[in-house]
Amino acid sequence: MAKFTAKPNDLLKINYNPPQTDWMDTPVEIREHMYCHPSKKKDLDTVGFPNGRDWRVADEDWKLPANWEQTILEGMQALLKKYRSFSVFMDICVRCGACADKCHFFIGTGDPKNMPVLRAELLRSVYRGNFTLAGKILKKIAGARDLTVNVLKEWWYYFYQCTECRRCSVFCPYGIDQAEITMMGRELTNLLGLQIGWSGGPIAACYMKGNHLGLEPHTVKSCIDLFSEDIETITGIKIEPSFNRKGAEILFVTPSGDLFANPGTYTAMGYLMLFHELGLDYTWSTYASEGGNFGFFSTNEMAKRLNAKIYAEAKRLGVKWILGGECGHMWRVLHQYMDTWNGPADFLQEPVSPITGTKFENAKSTKMVHISEFTADLIKNGKLKLDKSRNDHLKVTYHDSCNPARGMGMLEEPRYVIKNVCKNFYEMPENTIREKTFCCGSGSGINASENMELRMRGGLPRANAVKFVHDKYGVNMLACVCAIDRATLSAANEYWVPEVGVTGVTELVANALVMKGEKERTLDIRLEPLPGKEGSEEVS
Amino acid sequence: MKTLFPLFAVITLIVLVVAGVQYANMQFLFGVIIPYLAVATFVAGLIYRVMKWASSPVPFRIPTTCGQELSLPWIKQDKLESPSGTLGVIGRMALEVLLFRSLFRNIKLDMREGPRIAYGSDKWLWLSGLAFHWSFLIILIRHFRLFAIQLPYPIHVIESLDSFLQIGVPMLYITDVVILAAVTYLFIRRITNPLVRYISLPADYFPLFLILAVAGSGVLMRYFTKVDVVGVKQLTMGLISFRPVVPQGIGIIFYIHLFLISVLFAYFPFSKLVHMAGVFLSPTRNMANNNRMVRHVNPWDYPVHVHTYEEYENDFREKMKSVGIPVEKE
Ligand code: SF4
Ligand code: SF4
C-alpha cells in the first residue's frame, strides 16, 4: 500500500451530491487508505474466534468459509431474537433523513453510504429480503436484496467506517442507533473471521496479558516507575505506587494506552501525582491493566470476556471499590454493560470518597467511579490546593468524547474540573459539543495507520470546530477524557489545526496541583519549561 | 420508478373501487367487507408486530444520553434528556412522541469555504412532521362523530376549535388545509432534497400518495362534490353496531375515501408506518440512565471463557517476582 500523502486541501473536495445510480446498483468501491488490514489468524485463534485465515482486503477472493451465507443469515436470526434494539431498528426507520448529515464520516467523505440511514439500509435490505414477507415477494420494490459477496464486502467496508459514536441516534426521532446496528454488523462479520487487525491484535493481547498493548507485568511496572522518576524531576517528590496489592481500599483501572504514548502518559503521571497528594490507599493491577475494551468492537461475548478481569481482580485483591481513569468507550462499557455482564459486584462496597466522605450514589451498584466525578468532588470540597496560573499559557477547549457524552451523560464534571484548574476556557460551537459532540474519527478500533485518509476525513468536523475556537480565541490546547482521543486527535489536529495540542483533564489538574513538600516548579508535566516560571529562580 | 410505481399503485386502487362500485355494484364488498377486514388486519397485524418486538428481550440498558447524568448532588441533572427514573423516562417519551423532541434538534450541514463547517437550524422537517401527525390525529378523532348517535362533547369541542376561522359553508377545518400542505411539503422535500431522495424507497412514497389521496378525497367530499350524509351515517352506524346496511346512492367519492382508508389501515402494520408503535419500544429512548445505580439483568446471559488470574500468574510468575510484584504462589 502506498503511503498516505494527501494534503488537507486534497481531502476538502467533498461532493455531497449522491451519484446518479441508485445505491443498490452502485457497487462498493474499496479504496486504499480507507480501510484497516485484516486480523492475523493467530490473534483470532488465541481467543477462539472462528475462521481465522490469511486474507487480503484488496484481493478479489476473501477466502470465505463454505456456507457463509447460511452462517450470516442464521447469525442475523439469532441477533434479532436476542436484541429488541436490533429487531425494532430494522423495522421502524421512515427514512426521514434527519440523521443523514450528522455523521462525521459523511461530512468528511460525502459518500452517501456513510449516511447513518444508508449504513443501516445496507443491512436492512438483506433483512427485508430474508425475514419479511413483503421483501421476499416484492424484492427490490420493497427495498430488499439478496446477500451476495459484494453485499458482504460493502457491509464490511462501511461497518468499519462507523465509529459507533451514536451521534445519529441523538437526532433520530425514534432513537435509532446506528452504533447498535454496526455492532450487530460486526458480530456478523466476526462469524466469518473478518475482524480487523487493529482490533484483533489488542483483543488477543488483552486476553492473554491484561492490556491492549500487550505490556507484561514487569513492563507495566517499569512504565509507571519511569513516570515516577519524571515526577520527581518536576516536583522533587518521590512516588512509590503499588501493584496488585491486596487489601488496598481502591483498585485503579485505566486504559493501557496512557502508559505508553504521549500525551496520554502525562495524564497517567497526573493520576500518580493526584493520588499521592491525597494519600489514597489504592493499587494498580497488572492483570486488570486495561480499562478499555476492544472486544466491544468485535462481539458482545468477547467484550464480556475481557471485561471480566476487572471485577475478578477487585475481588481477588479485596478492595472496596474501583476508580476508573479517563477513557471514552471504556466508560460506555463500564457504565452500560459491566454490571450486567459480570455483576453483581456484591463483594464490593458502595463507593465513598475517603477524602471528602461523599457517597457516589450514582455508582452504588456497579461500584465504579469516574476520575472526573471523583476529582470534581475533591475540588468542590476544597481538598485540592491549586495554582491555576501554571496553566495560564494554555487556552483550553473541551472535547466531549462520544461515549461519556452519549452513553453516560457525563458533561459537567470534566468542565467543572477544567474551569477550576485553568483560567482560559472556551467552548466550541454549541452544535459540536455535549450530546452533539463529534467523534475524533478513529474510535471503535479503527485508529490504525493504513486507513489514515478515513481517519482524517472522519476527524474533520471535530478538528474544524477546534480550528474555529483557535482562530477566534487563540485556543491552543484541547482537553479530553479519552485515551483514544489523546492519540487520534493529536493526529487529526496535527493534520487540520497543527497549532492545537491535546491533553487529558487530569494532566491539567496535576499541572495546577500544589503538592505538599514540592519544590518550586519550573517544569510542566511534559518536562517543558513552565512559562512565566522559568526565570524565577535566577531573578529572586 | 421509485415514485411512479407507488403512484400507479394508488391510482390502480382508485380505479378498482370506482369499477367495483360504479359498474359491478359491489357496494357491500367495499362498504362493509373490506372495511371490516382492514380493521381486523390492522389490529391483528399491530399486535403481531408488537409481540414480535417484545419477544426479543432487552439485554442491556442502552439509553442514548442527551443531557447531564445524575451524579454529584450539586451538579444539575437533565431529568428529561438523561432521566434516572421512571417519571423522567415518561417525560422523555412524552416529549418525543407528542412534540418530536429529537427532530426539533435538527440542524443542517453547511460546508463553506475555508473550510468552515457550519450547522444551520433546520426546523422544517420537525414542523411539517408535527403538523402532519397532529392534524391526522385530530381528523381521525373528528371522524368518531360518524360512529356515535349523539355528538360526544369532546368531539364537538375539537370540531369548533378546528373550524374557528369560521370560513365558508360547511365551515373550513384548519386541519384539512394543514394536512394537505404538510404531506405535500414532505413529498416535495423527499424529491428535492438530494440526500433524502437518494435514500427513499417506493415504500416511502406509497404512504405519502395514499394519505394525500385519502385527505384529498375527504376534502372533495366535504367541500365540493357533496355526498348523502345521512346515508353515510347509516352505513357507519351499521358498521359499528355490527348490523351492516348499505344505503343506496351515497356517491362514489365516499367509497373511494373509505377504500383508501381501508388500504391504509391494512397496510399499516406491515410497513414503516409501524414506527408509531415501535417508538415506544426503542431502548435508546425508553430506558432510564441509572446504569450504575440499578443492575440490569440480561435474560440470555451465559458464562464465558476468561483468562483467569491464575493462568496469568502462571505465565508471568517469574517476571512478576523479579520486579517485586506480589504473587499468590511463590
Ligand atoms: S433519523 Fe431515524 S428514522 Fe430518520 S432516516 Fe435516520 S434512522 Fe431513519
Ligand atoms: S454511530 Fe457515529 S459513525 Fe456510526 S453512523 Fe452514527 S454518526 Fe456515523
Side-chain angles (χ1 to χ4, degrees), chain B residues 83-121:
Chain B
S84 53
T86 314
L87 218 58
V89 170
I90 293 173
R92 189 180 198 197
M93 287 305 291
L95 274 187
E96 204 63 88
V97 172
L98 301 176
L99 296 175
F100 299 2
R101 167 72 186 104
S102 290
L103 269 191
F104 189 72
R105 267 188 265 268
N106 198 28
I107 45 177
K108 201 169 149 214
L109 167 70
D110 179 10
M111 176 69 99
R112 301 184 193 153
E113 283 301 303
R116 156 108 174 79
I117 309 178
Y119 306 91
S121 149

Side-chain angles (χ1 to χ4, degrees), chain A residues 89 92-100 102 115-118 120-121 124 168-178 181, chain B residues 102-103 106 125 189-190 196 199 275:
Chain A
F89 294 165
I92 63 169
C93 171
V94 297
R95 287 162 300 278
C96 67
C99 60
K102 307 302 182 285
M115 290 190 275
V117 43
L118 214 47
E121 290 285 311
R124 215 177 260 135
C168 44
S169 169
V170 168
F171 292 92
C172 174
Y174 321 120
I176 294 176
D177 182 11
Q178 178 56 42
I181 300 175
Chain B
S102 290
L103 269 191
N106 198 28
L125 176 60
R189 174 179 179 273
R190 211 172 258 292
V196 183
I199 57 176
H275 67 265

Side-chain angles (χ1 to χ4, degrees), chain A residues 107-151:
Chain A
I107 298 173
T109 63
D111 183 341
K113 286 174 190 164
N114 270 327
M115 290 190 275
V117 43
L118 214 47
R119 202 190 304 285
E121 290 285 311
L122 300 179
L123 194 62
R124 215 177 260 135
S125 52
V126 173
Y127 163 77
R128 290 194 201 102
N130 291 279
F131 298 96
T132 70
L133 195 63
K136 280 182 197 162
I137 299 169
L138 292 172
K139 297 278 177 208
K140 210 175 159 187
I141 288 174
R145 62 175 177 171
D146 291 330
L147 180 60
T148 64
V149 173
N150 280 331
V151 168

Side-chain angles (χ1 to χ4, degrees), chain B residues 7 30 47 65 146 148 328:
Chain B
L7 183 63
F30 285 96
I47 292 175
T65 53
L146 294 170
E328 297 274 343

Side-chain angles (χ1 to χ4, degrees), chain A residues 99-106 113-117 119-120 158-159 161-169 171 176-182 402 406 437-439 441 444:
Chain A
C99 60
D101 56 357
K102 307 302 182 285
C103 175
H104 49 285
F105 284 118
F106 176 71
K113 286 174 190 164
N114 270 327
M115 290 190 275
V117 43
R119 202 190 304 285
Y158 289 104
F159 293 153
Q161 282 191 31
C162 164
T163 44
E164 304 182 356
C165 78
R166 309 188 104 195
R167 190 169 192 263
C168 44
S169 169
F171 292 92
I176 294 176
D177 182 11
Q178 178 56 42
E180 187 78 359
I181 300 175
T182 294
C402 311
R406 290 185 283 260
T437 189
F438 273 114
C439 180
S444 80

Side-chain angles (χ1 to χ4, degrees), chain A residues 102 165-171 398 400-412 415 429-439 462, chain B residues 64-68 78 81-82 92 101-102 105 107 285:
Chain A
K102 307 302 182 285
C165 78
R166 309 188 104 195
R167 190 169 192 263
C168 44
S169 169
V170 168
F171 292 92
Y398 176 68
D400 291 274
S401 306
C402 311
N403 289 294
R406 290 185 283 260
M408 185 180 178
M410 193 186 70
L411 307 172
E412 292 303 335
R415 286 180 166 79
E430 185 212 344
N431 286 322
T432 71
I433 55 170
R434 298 178 182 268
E435 77 279 3
K436 298 194 203 93
T437 189
F438 273 114
C439 180
R462 168 41 77 226
Chain B
T64 305
T65 53
C66 297
Q68 173 62 38
D78 190 335
E81 303 279 20
S82 196
R92 189 180 198 197
R101 167 72 186 104
S102 290
R105 267 188 265 268
I107 45 177
R285 288 289 186 275

